[in-house]
């Protein structure tokens, strides 16, 4: 059984300096406008600085990258060693690297990034020049290790970021293989959005005496997300999606679908409706995905259609709406989807277009939230009378109130 420490968060006057971080890191954070740590940072940083293993449950948007990155950069500045951060996807690895590289400015530390889907030669060169911290996806990391372009025998710190997703994607054996290249047990930090028996079974030999941090109920969790569920006819989803985007004049909408085929078809339809769009999914090259994300972040693209490859780890500033064209098969993926909005304490908006054939997918999602996810009809797009949505009748009055931007029956729930 993992040992669970009682964590008592300190007062609202807590600063990064009082957490024990060095002056250079604090100066860098101050320059970037970060003055007060979030709850996960406040809880994790002192524990990591004390050399303890950590198993932390924290939602996206709560500052977990800084929670492990800042204390590791502090420790690396004191004594030369290597820290490794494993991430499940290329997008998350890139996001983590960007943040860590910013935090490391002025510390004299080299942060590297390796992942598949791009040429390996520049990554080999970076590894051979020497790194203090490396962010990697498991597959490319193993390639580098097997070909002896990288040596991690003296690895001091190991971070498993989005550990639940690493398991979901089948990387358990790869992680064990990576550890065969390490001589001694590193200080291990396991960060996950969910805790379950499978994760504890996997994590026990890695972090057997870890401090367990469960930040689910902390007030510094992501901002409240207004969730709207519109009952609609499946064949009208394309028209409804285009209508909502134009009606509200959203300039940055992340639109989720389940399959690559659906993503490509929807992209073509929205472009025919004179909406500026792009798409990311597994068949797109890494360069194409990065180009699409950059254009979306810079508001050169209004709508980004995505499969769940984009659900984790992406930070998109001022995202106006997450639009679920289709519900995911896994309820946890719904949480990660809507977690793209309502970040860093801001409120967000998530809209789901619910077809009658998807009603069974909504039940496990509802179980994740304390408040009911109220279903309603979108005026002008009411479903046909023979559509069977069963358990709950739509709230027609709340739908009528939803014509104005940001109005409508609200179901506000914190991402869990």
């Amino acid at each position: 059984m993992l040992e669970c420490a009682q964590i008592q968060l300190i007062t609202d006057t807590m600063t990064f300096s009082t957490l024990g971080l060095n002056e250079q890191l604090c100066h860098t954070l101050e320059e970037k406008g970060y003055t007060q740590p979030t709850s996960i940072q406040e809880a994790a940083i002192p524990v990591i600085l004390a050399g303890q293993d950590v198993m932390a449950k924290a939602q996206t948007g709560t500052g977990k990258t800084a929670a492990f990155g800042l204390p590791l950069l502090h420790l690396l500045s004191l004594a030369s060693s290597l820290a490794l951060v494993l991430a499940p996807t290329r997008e998350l690895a890139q996001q983590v690297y960007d943040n860590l590289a910013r935090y490391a400015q002025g510390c004299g530390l080299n942060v590297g990034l390796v992942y598949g889907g791009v040429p390996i030669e520049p990554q080999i060169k970076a590894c051979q020049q020497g790194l203090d911290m490396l962010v990697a996806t498991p597959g490319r990391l193993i390639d580098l290790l097997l070909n002896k372009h990288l040596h991690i025998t003296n690895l001091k710190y190991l971070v498993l970021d989005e550990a639940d997703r690493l398991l979901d994607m089948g990387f358990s054996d790869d992680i064990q293989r990576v550890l065969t290249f390490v001589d001694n047990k590193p200080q291990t930090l396991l960060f996950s959005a969910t805790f379950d028996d499978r994760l504890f079974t996997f994590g026990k030999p890695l972090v057997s005496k870890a401090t367990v941090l469960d930040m689910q109920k902390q007030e510094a969790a992501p901002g409240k997300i207004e969730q709207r569920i519109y009952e609609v006819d499946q064949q009208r989803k394309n028209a409804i999606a285009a209508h909502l985007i134009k009606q509200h004049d959203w300039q940055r909408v992340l639109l989720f679908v389940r399959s690559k085929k659906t993503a490509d078809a929807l992209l073509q339809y929205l472009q025919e409706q004179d909406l500026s769009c792009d798409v990311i999914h597994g068949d797109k090259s890494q360069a194409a995905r990065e180009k699409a994300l950059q254009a979306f972040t810079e508001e050169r693209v209004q709508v980004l259609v995505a499969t769940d490859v984009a659900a984790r780890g992406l930070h998109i500033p001022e995202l106006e709406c997450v639009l679920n064209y289709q519900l995911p098969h896994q309820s946890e993926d719904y949480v990660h989807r809507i977690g793209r909005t309502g970040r860093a304490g801001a409120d967000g908006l998530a809209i789901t277009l619910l077809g009658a054939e998807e009603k069974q997918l909504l039940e496990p999602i509802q179980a994740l939230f304390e408040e009911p996810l109220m279903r309603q009809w979108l005026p002008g797009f009411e479903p046909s009378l023979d559509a069977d949505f069963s358990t709950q009748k739509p709230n027609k009055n709340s739908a009528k109130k939803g014509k104005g931007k940001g109005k409508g029956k609200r179901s506000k729930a914190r991402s869990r």
Side-chain angles (χ1 to χ4, degrees):
M1 189 70 177
L2 294 172
E3 296 182 1
C4 182
Q6 297 295 319
I7 299 300
Q8 181 178 1
L9 298 185
I10 315 174
T11 67
D12 290 341
T13 59
M14 177 64 63
T15 67
F16 288 106
S17 178
T18 55
L19 288 177
L21 297 177
N22 64 47
E23 184 178 348
Q24 179 57 57
L25 280 172
C26 292
H27 178 69
T28 299
L29 292 169
E30 185 178 353
E31 282 187 334
K32 299 184 182 307
Y34 302 131
T35 58
Q36 188 171 330
T38 66
S39 292
I40 183 60
Q41 293 162 6
E42 192 173 318
I45 289 174
V47 176
I48 296 171
L49 290 177
Q52 299 180 37
D53 288 351
V54 169
M55 188 172 186
K57 179 180 178 182
Q59 295 295 335
T60 184
T62 57
K64 61 184 178 61
T65 300
F68 64 75
L70 293 173
L72 290 184
L73 289 170
H74 173 96
L75 293 169
L76 290 169
S77 68
L78 297 177
S80 178
S81 53
L82 176 64
L84 172 64
V85 181
L86 285 180
T89 66
R90 304 164 186 172
E91 287 76 18
L92 179 59
Q94 181 70 60
Q95 183 73 46
V96 170
Y97 167 78
D98 289 342
N99 286 328
L100 293 178
R102 284 197 295 269
Y103 302 147
Q105 290 175 0
C107 293
L109 299 172
N110 293 323
V111 181
L113 171 66
V114 299
Y115 54 73
V118 296
I120 196 172
E121 288 76 15
Q123 298 177 358
I124 293 173
K125 184 177 180 181
C127 291
Q128 292 175 341
Q129 289 176 344
L131 296 170
D132 300 288
M133 179 176 284
L134 177 63
V135 183
T137 53
R140 177 55 60 89
L141 176 65
I142 290 174
D143 286 343
L144 292 166
L145 292 171
L146 288 174
N147 289 286
K148 299 184 178 180
H149 298 304
L150 175 68
H151 301 280
I152 60 171
T153 55
N154 295 319
L155 182 68
K156 186 70 176 291
Y157 310 104
L158 173 64
V159 181
L160 303 180
D161 195 16
E162 300 282 7
D164 51 347
R165 189 65 166 172
L166 283 166
L167 296 186
D168 290 342
M169 296 178 68
F171 287 129
S172 175
D173 290 342
D174 287 337
I175 294 169
Q176 297 298 338
R177 192 173 188 184
V178 168
L179 291 173
T180 64
F181 292 88
V182 183
D183 286 344
N184 301 304
K185 182 192 178 303
Q187 181 180 350
T188 303
L189 316 174
L190 189 154
F191 281 74
S192 176
T194 59
F195 278 173
D196 56 25
D197 290 341
R198 180 190 55 158
L199 190 68
F200 276 95
T201 299
F202 169 76
K204 185 175 181 179
L206 301 177
V207 290
S208 58
K209 296 185 180 298
T211 297
V212 178
L213 308 176
D214 187 344
M215 311 308 295
Q216 179 178 344
K217 298 181 180 181
Q218 294 300 331
E219 290 301 318
K224 289 185 177 180
I225 300 172
E226 178 187 347
Q227 300 176 77
R228 301 181 195 170
I229 313 289
Y230 289 126
E231 294 182 345
V232 301
D233 291 327
Q234 177 66 36
Q235 64 271 23
R236 303 187 74 186
K237 281 190 175 183
N238 283 1
I240 294 170
H243 167 78
L244 286 170
I245 294 167
K246 291 181 178 181
Q247 178 192 42
H248 296 288
D249 192 28
W250 290 321
Q251 296 305 304
R252 195 179 287 155
V253 182
L254 187 54
L255 203 161
F256 279 108
V257 299
R258 286 197 297 265
S259 72
K260 295 174 283 189
K261 182 178 179 180
T262 302
D264 289 334
L266 183 56
L267 173 72
Q268 181 177 346
Y269 175 84
L270 294 175
Q271 288 175 334
E272 291 171 354
Q273 303 303 307
D274 296 323
L275 291 169
S276 174
C277 308
D278 210 332
V279 64
I280 58 173
H281 55 59
D283 280 352
K284 292 291 183 179
S285 69
Q286 185 62 27
R289 287 154 73 169
E290 290 177 358
K291 182 179 179 181
L293 286 170
Q294 185 68 23
F296 185 58
T297 301
E298 295 175 355
E299 292 191 9
R300 291 183 283 110
V301 166
Q302 184 178 2
V303 184
L304 186 62
V305 182
T307 56
D308 284 302
V309 70
R312 301 251 186 167
L314 297 181
H315 174 57
I316 303 168
E318 301 177 5
L319 181 61
E320 294 172 276
C321 179
V322 166
L323 182 56
N324 289 304
Y325 182 89
Q326 297 169 313
L327 283 176
H329 288 298
Q330 301 296 325
S331 57
E332 291 82 2
D333 286 335
Y334 174 85
V335 175
H336 294 299
R337 285 182 180 189
I338 70 173
R340 301 308 97 211
T341 184
R343 294 174 69 86
D347 288 348
L349 173 64
I351 293 177
T352 295
L353 305 182
L354 182 71
E357 68 283 358
E358 295 179 287
K359 61 188 178 183
Q360 73 278 6
L361 296 175
L362 187 61
E363 295 177 8
I365 291 172
Q366 174 62 80
L368 298 175
F369 299 94
E370 295 178 359
E371 298 181 21
L373 301 175
M374 300 300 297
R375 298 188 237 171
Q376 54 190 289
W377 289 350
L378 182 65
F381 294 92
E382 294 83 355
S384 58
L385 295 178
D386 59 350
D388 180 16
F389 291 94
S390 67
T391 58
Q392 183 180 355
K393 293 183 179 180
N395 188 329
K396 298 176 73 172
N397 291 331
S398 65
K400 291 179 181 179
K401 295 178 182 178
K403 286 188 176 182
K405 182 175 180 180
K407 305 294 183 183
K409 182 66 178 179
R410 295 190 171 191
S411 175
K412 286 191 173 182
R414 291 190 182 277
S415 297
R416 301 176 63 183

